[in-house]
Amino acid sequence: MSLSGRTAVVTGSNSGIGLGVARAFAALGADVVLNSFTDSDEDHALAAGIASEHGVTARYIQADMSKGGEARRLVERAGRCDILVNNAGIQHVSPVEDFPVDRWDTIIAVNLSSAFHTTAAAIPGMRASGWGRVVNIASAHGLRASPYKAAYIAAKHGVVGLTKAVALECARDPVTVNAVCPGYVLTPIVEKQLPDQMKTHGMEREEVIEKVILAKQPSREFATIEQVADTVAFLCSDAAAQIRGTTISVDGGWTAS
Ligand code: NAD
């Protein structure tokens, strides 16, 4: 499989799953656009490292996915967007009655509305070029709920709905729209939840991972960044051309139970 000649835009890709997806695309020969809301030397160095390792064009474009206009401009500034991966995401854990309103608004903006804006900006170019892939990184929490994550779960269920609606709008085009639903992957978004969970449960790190975090996952193993990235890459292959408007779980069996 080759993605040579394609340009992939991956939102929220200076870390974790997004960075892994960008690396997987570059390994398949695609030019990549990395993104986050920061604009540091490290961000640009990530892109330069991918370019030199894989011999592709890799750029870092700063854009804040909590702002609709910036999300749309990211796609415009990319110049070309054959593959769009909506990956940027944040989390906040709180009972609904105490959930800070600004956290709710920002999570909905970053985790859901940014995908609406980038997709709206990217679809016309995909239709015009005669090929396109949109892959939304939803979550097992786009299909199942847990307490204290109201905004994240509402946003991820919304992403699954957005995926289905846009896939139907593109059903007669060579443009597919799907969602990947990871279970737990040990990235910064999960690392940040560990100290609170250790305090709440009075457990050490390894015990919290085994008895609290991975309790959701029947395999009792984290999914890896590479497993999620390769699933995204598969959805960009010719074999996946008729996979449309659906979700693929990479969750160790979480949503089977
Ligand atoms: P991560 O924290 O490493 O990555 C999140 C990325 O989003 C980072 O690159 C961050 O800079 C970026 N980001 C945050 N706010 C942004 C903003 N306003 N504008 C632009 N970029 C922004 O965590 P991750 O696990 O790699 O998360 C990636 C995606 O995978 C998220 O959508 C997350 O919800 C989803 N996911 C993760 C897991 C998991 O267990 N790690 C499970 C299911 C789904």
Side-chain angles (χ1 to χ4, degrees):
M1 175 186 169
S2 169
L3 290 175
S4 179
R6 309 289 188 201
T7 297
V9 177
V10 186
T11 71
S13 46
N14 64 351
S15 162
I17 292 169
L19 182 55
V21 168
R23 287 197 167 118
F25 284 152
L28 292 166
D31 294 330
V32 292
V33 173
L34 274 65
N35 153 262
S36 186
F37 60 94
T38 51
D39 199 13
S40 67
D41 290 346
E42 290 79 20
D43 293 327
H44 292 275
L46 282 174
I50 288 175
S52 69
E53 187 179 347
H54 297 289
V56 298
T57 300
R59 287 174 291 156
Y60 179 86
I61 300 181
Q62 186 272 342
D64 184 347
M65 290 304 107
S66 71
K67 301 189 172 96
E70 291 197 23
R72 285 175 189 255
R73 271 195 300 283
L74 169 65
V75 173
E76 286 161 20
R77 287 174 62 195
R80 187 182 173 101
C81 179
D82 305 296
I83 300 168
L84 170 65
V85 180
N86 288 305
N87 169 81
I90 51 173
Q91 175 65 285
H92 185 82
V93 181
S94 166
V96 70
E97 62 271 30
D98 301 327
F99 214 99
V101 173
D102 67 322
R103 290 285 79 202
W104 171 276
D105 289 343
T106 307
I107 290 173
I108 298 298
V110 173
N111 295 19
L112 173 58
S113 301
S114 71
F116 156 66
H117 290 294
T118 54
T119 302
I123 292 287
M126 291 178 182
R127 282 203 179 107
S129 75
W131 191 91
R133 296 283 191 269
V134 179
V135 183
N136 296 321
I137 306 300
S139 169
H141 277 135
L143 303 167
R144 297 285 188 278
S146 300
Y148 313 128
K149 297 183 176 179
Y152 186 88
I153 286 162
K156 294 296 187 180
H157 276 68
V159 166
V160 172
L162 175 71
T163 301
K164 294 178 188 175
V166 182
L168 291 181
E169 292 181 29
C170 295
R172 300 296 294 268
D173 302 307
V175 175
T176 75
V177 186
N178 292 290
V180 173
C181 293
Y184 281 110
V185 184
L186 197 52
T187 65
I189 210 171
V190 174
E191 284 284 356
K192 283 179 206 152
Q193 296 174 47
L194 292 179
D196 273 352
Q197 298 275 24
M198 286 160 65
K199 210 158 74 184
T200 307
H201 296 277
M203 293 177 183
E204 294 299 315
R205 178 188 159 90
E206 289 313 312
E207 199 179 2
V208 155
I209 287 177
E210 187 193 324
K211 296 188 176 157
V212 180
I213 305 280
L214 293 180
K216 295 271 188 195
Q217 251 158 248
S219 68
R220 295 290 190 270
E221 288 178 22
F222 283 107
T224 67
I225 289 172
E226 291 74 20
Q227 288 161 352
V228 176
D230 286 351
T231 305
V232 174
F234 165 69
L235 285 170
C236 298
S237 70
D238 290 341
Q242 289 307 323
I243 300 178
R244 288 168 181 252
T246 194
T247 59
I248 297 187
S249 292
V250 186
D251 67 0
W254 178 341
T255 53
S257 58

